[in-house]
Amino acid sequence: MAAYSGAIHNVSLAGPTLFGQVINKAAEIAGQSLLDNNNKYYVLLIITDGVLTDLQETKDALVRASDLPLSVLIVGVGGADFKQMEILDADNGNRLESSTGRMATRDIVQFVPMREVYGGQISVVQALLEELPGQFLSYMRARDIKPLPHASGTTV
């Protein structure tokens, strides 16, 4: 929060708001990690102040990325209309659908509007991370990835 507060005075936020390319790049990194057997899970944090200009491209990117070890956390700042972010979050039970009709294999997005956590009982970090453990576990379970056995003779 301190880094954001310090940076916002030196940055001018403006449109268009494009997520598709950023999500595709994160998906590319996560996909390469799979090919390299790195056993890593990635989290992309996006801070936005506006309405998406590339909603369908973003949905397509998220549907493709839903098979990868990736979660996308989005923080909405300012007074913009964030209805599109709620669609991406898919908390209403409607999984995302791509332009080709493919459904997301899992929900990988958590959206938190900053204005709803100010003065509340929950921090923005707590709200953002709320779904992350479930997203991580759904990925691991879908691929039957189990924790490595504890090595004997070592202490935890």
Side-chain angles (χ1 to χ4, degrees):
M1 289 304 299
Y4 171 77
S5 295
I8 196 67
H9 299 294
N10 300 316
V11 175
S12 176
L13 300 174
T17 302
L18 305 167
F19 285 4
Q21 292 178 358
V22 174
I23 294 166
N24 283 331
K25 184 61 178 176
E28 180 184 318
I29 292 167
Q32 186 59 49
S33 177
L34 271 182
L35 293 175
D36 296 341
N37 288 323
N38 283 338
N39 294 325
K40 293 181 180 177
Y41 191 89
Y42 294 85
V43 179
L44 172 63
L45 173 63
I46 298 174
I47 301 173
T48 183
D49 74 334
V51 177
L52 280 176
T53 308
D54 67 341
L55 180 60
Q56 191 58 58
E57 183 181 346
T58 298
K59 286 173 152 182
D60 291 348
L62 288 168
V63 169
R64 283 190 302 273
S66 68
D67 291 324
L68 297 170
L70 176 67
S71 288
V72 180
L73 308 179
I74 304 171
V75 179
V77 296
D81 179 2
F82 292 119
K83 283 185 177 66
Q84 292 175 325
M85 302 304 156
E86 299 291 346
I87 292 168
L88 299 179
D89 194 350
D91 281 347
N92 59 6
N94 296 327
R95 285 187 298 158
L96 287 179
E97 184 176 349
S98 74
S99 56
T100 62
R102 180 173 176 237
M103 300 298 287
T105 56
R106 61 193 183 94
D107 175 18
I108 65 169
V109 176
Q110 171 68 347
F111 169 68
V112 175
M114 185 71 84
R115 62 180 172 243
E116 290 183 13
V117 293
Y118 271 132
Q121 301 296 323
I122 185 170
S123 75
V124 68
V125 173
Q126 188 177 0
L128 267 176
L129 298 179
E130 185 175 42
E131 293 180 14
L132 189 57
Q135 292 173 355
F136 172 78
L137 287 174
S138 72
Y139 175 80
M140 295 301 180
R141 287 179 180 142
R143 279 139 196 87
D144 198 31
I145 300 171
K146 305 223 183 313
L148 296 174
H150 181 67
S152 62
T154 59
T155 58
V156 178

